[in-house]
Amino acid sequence: MAATAVAKTKSTETFVDNKRKDDIRMANIAAAQSVADAVRTSLGPKGMDKMISTSSGEVIITNDGATILNKMEVLQPAAKFLVELSKSQDVVAGDGTTTVVVIAGALLKASLTLLSAGIHPTVVSDALHKASIKAVEILTAMAIPVELSDHDSLVKSASTSLNSKVVSQYSSLLAPLAVDAVLSVVDPAKPDIADLKDIKIVKKLGGTVDDTELVKGLVFDKKVSHAAGGLTRMENAKIGVIQFQISPPKTDIEQSIVVSDYTQMDRILKEERNYILGMIKKIKASGCNVLLIQKSILRDAVTDLSLHYLAKAKILVIKDVERDEIEFITKTLNCLPISNIEHFRAEKLGYADLVEEVSLGDGGKMVKITGIKDMGRTTSVLVRGSNQLVLDEAERSLHDALCVVRCLVSKRFLIAGGGAPEIELSRQLGAWAKVLHGMEGYCVKAFAEALEVIPYTLAENAGLNPITIVTELRNKHAQGEINAGINVRKGQITNIMDENVVQPLLVSTSAISLATECVRMILKIDDIVTVR
């Protein structure tokens, strides 16, 4: 008996063991799918929100796929791909972060079926690549060109993006706001680039989201320095942004000065006073009457004494300006930051009609600078909210809306939403698969079916019967109604373009190409090697 067993093992040793490679692949796909399923319920206007509780006890309520995945602690290496995937979609398009993960999950599921049928992973991967290129072509053919002057279309696409968020009831306010913000920072010299760094979102607790406004100018979430009766309002302001400290100098090394009598002490204080007065005289001589002072680490940027003298010189002071805000401020005010008192000249100042401290209803205060001369192409958005969770979510939603408008600036095409493009893709890829030969056609057909996951999930999240809806949708598209999609409000299938549910072409095309890229990467992996 033993002899035959030995003989058996001898005869099978010539084969390579493929079991492990399949297992690794299955494990990777299963892990990635579970991540995709975790965010699937938050897709679409009727999607659920996730409550994320971090280890530090902070609670975040969000509907944004990228935020959810970013905060999730994913341990499995392949599942981390999906987190990176939603991040890259966030960078490229800004919206559709949930969509891209859901599509990737569906494609993985389809590949799993193909793999278990014995098709080689490389064949599956190549077929996927071809299908994605074809899909982008189909989407581009469906798209409708849009002009930046067509304000309504831009607002429609921004409000579609906002509809799936917690703050969807405010989309009528936030969507036009996002469009105006982006259009105001587009440089006519480079018309297809909009840099979102030029839009500063300032969050201030209190009020409701209705109080959110677009400010032509600068907003600081700070009070004016009130020490020694400082001013709180200045008209015809000449603004200096300084990066040095108005305080007595310190030595570079740690040492102590021993004072033996009062005259020496008086001399020290007198020197300090003269030093500060000398600085303030130079500042006053240049005609400056508003100072923005950068935060300093090494020593106090301003002392009580210097604030007292600044108040006497009738100069309004805003202190503790963050270092990373300096660039934005100087660009907006069209001035130069001043790093040394010797360089304080009138030509480095910015000019504005009014700098004032505004009191908000709930005791909070903030500083607004309006009527800036030769203002740079920047804008500020002041977001209000009744609690921190709503405020953070409003900021994230606004960011998504801004990204959507940015997509339209860089690639001026619109496409229908509501699952219409996905069904159309599924139909056309299915037809194309019949033309292809061999395994490829079989693979493309499977991927075409996988794309139906988006309309299916949309219907499911809206509490409709997904099978009926998707079948009806296919029927409509087969009859040539390209823009038929799911209207979740009415719970039936309508022409989505009439309902104003539109999205930028870039969101859809990047979602498809990024998802396929990610799935191909997962398919190509056949072993995990841990290195100590």
Side-chain angles (χ1 to χ4, degrees):
M1 185 65 200
T4 50
V6 171
K8 256 186 187 166
T9 49
K10 269 282 189 288
S11 63
T12 52
E13 263 173 9
T14 50
F15 296 115
V16 182
D17 177 24
N18 275 333
K19 179 91 178 76
R20 174 173 165 79
K21 292 180 178 176
D22 286 347
D23 283 350
I24 294 276
R25 207 172 270 122
M26 298 294 167
N28 281 348
I29 291 178
Q33 266 186 301
S34 62
V35 170
D37 287 341
V39 291
R40 219 185 92 175
T41 50
S42 65
L43 180 79
K46 293 271 201 266
M48 296 296 162
D49 300 335
K50 304 270 181 259
M51 192 176 207
I52 303 163
S53 171
T54 57
S55 50
S56 58
E58 181 191 5
V59 176
I60 302 167
I61 296 178
T62 180
N63 192 309
D64 181 41
T67 313
I68 298 170
L69 290 176
N70 216 345
K71 301 283 179 199
M72 253 160 65
E73 287 197 7
V74 182
L75 298 175
Q76 219 274 355
K80 284 188 180 155
F81 286 169
L82 289 193
V83 179
E84 295 300 321
L85 171 69
S86 75
K87 269 190 203 162
S88 53
Q89 173 76 359
D90 204 22
V91 172
V92 176
D95 196 23
T97 44
T98 318
T99 313
V100 73
V101 177
V102 173
I103 291 179
L107 291 177
L108 281 171
K109 197 171 176 185
S111 335
L112 194 57
T113 322
L114 295 172
L115 290 177
S116 51
I119 302 175
H120 195 273
T122 319
V123 177
V124 178
S125 167
D126 293 346
L128 234 183
H129 184 57
K130 278 191 173 173
S132 85
I133 292 170
K134 178 78 175 167
V136 172
E137 284 170 17
I138 296 172
L139 284 175
T140 317
M142 278 177 71
I144 302 158
V146 63
E147 284 304 314
L148 288 188
S149 51
D150 181 8
H151 202 263
D152 285 354
S153 298
L154 299 183
V155 172
K156 280 175 199 168
S157 59
S159 64
T160 303
S161 160
L162 288 167
N163 275 341
S164 63
K165 306 281 184 272
V166 181
V167 291
S168 58
Q169 66 265 36
Y170 302 111
S171 62
S172 55
L173 165 81
L174 294 178
L177 191 136
V179 174
D180 294 341
V182 175
L183 293 184
S184 66
V185 299
V186 175
D187 191 354
K190 292 179 279 192
D192 40 6
I193 300 173
D195 188 3
L196 292 186
K197 285 197 182 115
D198 293 340
I199 300 172
K200 184 175 165 207
I201 299 181
V202 180
K203 296 187 289 186
K204 188 80 175 145
L205 199 60
T208 58
V209 183
D210 279 325
D211 302 332
T212 301
E213 56 177 334
L214 190 68
V215 180
K216 278 295 228 198
L218 271 175
V219 181
F220 292 102
D221 184 11
K222 297 183 176 57
K223 292 190 222 174
V224 170
S225 159
H226 288 292
L231 302 168
T232 57
R233 178 188 167 92
M234 179 66 69
E235 289 179 15
N236 299 333
K238 298 185 180 71
I239 305 164
V241 179
I242 63 170
Q243 294 182 300
F244 57 87
Q245 296 88 13
I246 310 182
S247 59
K250 258 188 184 173
T251 46
D252 291 340
I253 45 174
E254 273 292 318
Q255 42 52 309
S256 50
I257 303 168
V258 179
V259 181
S260 52
D261 62 3
Y262 279 118
T263 52
Q264 288 175 330
M265 201 159 155
D266 282 347
R267 255 173 60 202
I268 292 173
L269 291 171
K270 202 169 176 186
E271 278 301 311
E272 284 189 0
R273 262 208 303 271
N274 289 344
Y275 178 81
I276 291 174
L277 270 172
M279 283 178 121
I280 289 171
K281 276 178 182 151
K282 279 180 188 162
I283 292 173
K284 193 68 188 157
S286 69
C288 166
N289 55 14
V290 174
L291 269 188
L292 301 178
I293 304 178
Q294 180 184 312
K295 236 182 195 167
S296 162
I297 312 165
L298 299 173
R299 60 180 215 238
D300 304 334
V302 280
T303 58
D304 290 345
L305 191 61
S306 54
L307 284 175
H308 169 76
Y309 284 132
L310 283 166
K312 272 203 163 157
K314 296 271 182 286
I315 296 177
L316 183 139
V317 181
I318 301 168
K319 56 182 193 201
D320 294 345
V321 175
E322 293 294 340
R323 185 165 200 154
D324 44 10
E325 288 178 6
I326 293 284
E327 188 189 348
F328 180 83
I329 291 169
T330 49
K331 187 174 178 179
T332 310
L333 292 175
N334 206 357
C335 65
L336 294 168
I338 304 162
S339 55
N340 194 323
I341 184 70
E342 302 306 328
H343 306 155
F344 209 107
R345 296 192 200 93
E347 61 264 25
K348 290 196 175 181
L349 302 179
Y351 298 92
D353 293 344
L354 181 63
V355 176
E356 67 169 336
E357 181 177 76
V358 189
S359 168
L360 305 168
D362 45 14
K365 290 186 175 162
M366 58 195 324
V367 182
K368 267 189 195 168
I369 302 181
T370 46
I372 299 169
K373 262 205 195 114
D374 310 324
M375 181 171 160
R377 290 197 164 274
T378 61
T379 187
S380 301
V381 180
L382 172 59
V383 181
R384 306 294 307 277
S386 51
N387 61 31
Q388 200 60 46
L389 300 176
V390 171
L391 200 57
D392 291 344
E393 184 58 15
E395 184 198 19
R396 278 190 292 269
S397 310
L398 192 59
H399 177 260
D400 274 12
L402 291 171
C403 286
V404 165
V405 185
R406 184 191 66 186
C407 287
L408 286 175
V409 169
S410 55
K411 204 171 178 188
R412 302 179 182 183
F413 285 100
L414 276 178
I415 195 168
E422 285 83 4
I423 280 282
E424 186 59 25
L425 275 181
S426 175
R427 191 181 70 78
Q428 294 203 25
L429 283 178
W432 184 58
K434 288 175 185 159
V435 185
L436 293 173
H437 297 296
M439 280 300 176
E440 266 188 351
Y442 190 64
C443 295
V444 171
K445 188 169 186 310
F447 297 137
E449 283 170 9
L451 284 173
E452 289 180 0
V453 69
I454 298 287
Y456 186 92
T457 310
L458 275 176
E460 195 176 38
N461 288 349
L464 311 170
N465 182 343
I467 297 173
T468 330
I469 292 281
V470 174
T471 316
E472 172 71 8
L473 200 52
R474 270 196 218 146
N475 183 21
K476 281 273 203 303
H477 278 262
Q479 290 166 9
E481 293 182 31
I482 291 187
N483 292 332
I486 302 171
N487 183 343
V488 277
R489 293 216 176 83
K490 291 184 182 158
Q492 61 205 47
I493 289 174
T494 50
N495 183 339
I496 279 294
M497 280 296 185
D498 304 344
E499 298 288 338
N500 302 337
V501 179
V502 285
Q503 59 191 29
L505 173 64
L506 192 59
V507 172
S508 293
T509 51
S510 79
I512 298 273
S513 45
L514 288 173
T516 46
E517 207 171 277
C518 177
V519 172
R520 287 181 67 203
M521 204 156 73
I522 293 176
L523 286 178
K524 290 264 172 107
I525 297 170
D526 71 345
D527 207 342
I528 297 176
V529 182
T530 45
V531 182
R532 286 279 171 270

